[in-house]
Amino acid sequence: MEELRLDAQLAARLRRATRAVALSGAGVSKESGLGTFRGAGGLWEDRRQTGSAATGDRRSRGRPEELATPEAFYRTPGKVWRWYAARYATAAAAAPNPAHHALARWESLFPSFLLVTQNVDDLHQRAGSRRLVALHGTLAEAVCDSCGRRRPMGEAVAASPAEPPECSVPGGGTGCRGRFRPAVVWFGESLPAAALETASRAAAACDLLLAAGTSALVYPAAGLIETALRAGACVVEINPEPTPFSRFAHLRLAAPAGTALPALTEAIASCRSMTG
Ligand code: APR
């Protein structure tokens, strides 16, 4: 992407900004080879995904959204577990792309910065982002559905590839007899309260919000953009496709995040290095 030229008014706002928030979605990981959920080829659009391709399980035809609910887990625990095990393996094999690396730089560009991700693929964390809240959990961990004990997903899958493993005390003693499930937020479940509280406070107090690679259709995450707009923040959107918030954005980059985010980060770094 060519060097991004910001108009004077926008450059002034970006130079003055002290509290920045970035909201990221599946589109940011698209160039790392991970599918999005909606739109052409999205996980929720591509029912074949639930068939043999992802899990090698010919019985598992159904709507993926039926796979990402607590009801589905209790109805068909093996199917759900194998589906997430496949998604975990794909994410673990993927690498952060330039969009992830660019966003990690925002921590040093702004006195106050928070990355709010809807992604469960751990790629932001692997790119070095630390000031981050993961609103929808993580594929990297499994959690006991009874006592809340957590363990690495890789270890849980290795121990039991086909069915969710029982919660047993390390060394073989009987645990709470709960079952491990992916540590992600399923449809119909509440988001982690502390993460949502932190994200909402940051959005209400920010003077710059970037929405990158999200369809902005899923709440309460998408509500953070509304909160920032109401707070009078400057809103920047990166998405090849329009979203419900595109017309409210002060800057819209209709391009892949892998090129637009590094270009935007360079432009912000250079306008913030200018004085006056
Ligand atoms: N760069 C930037 N954006 C992209 C790219 C790209 N290379 N490729 C696609 N996009 C955009 C799409 O146009 C789409 O608007 O990314 C967006 C992805 O939208 P969704 O698939 O809806 O993903 P997301 O917004 O993260 O979904 C929110 O919904 O299914 C649940 O829990 C899941 O966290 C997820 C939540």
Side-chain angles (χ1 to χ4, degrees), residues 13 15 17 19 76 84 86 91 96 126 136 156 171 187 190 205-206 226 234-235 241 256 263 271 275:
R13 286 194 80 171
R15 196 165 41 244
R19 295 179 302 278
T76 53
Y84 276 94
R126 286 162 50 196
H136 296 162
F187 289 104
S190 311
C206 75
E226 283 170 17
C234 173
V235 169
E241 304 295 328
C271 84
T275 53

Side-chain angles (χ1 to χ4, degrees), residues 179-257:
R179 267 184 302 199
F180 280 94
R181 50 161 284 177
V184 298
V185 178
W186 279 329
F187 289 104
E189 292 187 320
S190 311
L191 274 58
L196 184 56
E197 172 69 18
T198 304
S200 305
R201 280 175 191 277
C206 75
D207 42 26
L208 169 64
L209 181 133
L210 167 69
T214 180
S215 57
L217 295 171
V218 175
Y219 282 73
L224 298 170
I225 307 172
E226 283 170 17
T227 303
L229 282 165
R230 268 200 304 274
C234 173
V235 169
V236 177
E237 184 181 72
I238 294 180
N239 194 323
E241 304 295 328
T243 76
F245 292 94
S246 298
R247 61 199 170 93
F248 302 108
H250 300 87
L251 174 66
R252 184 173 139 64
L253 302 175

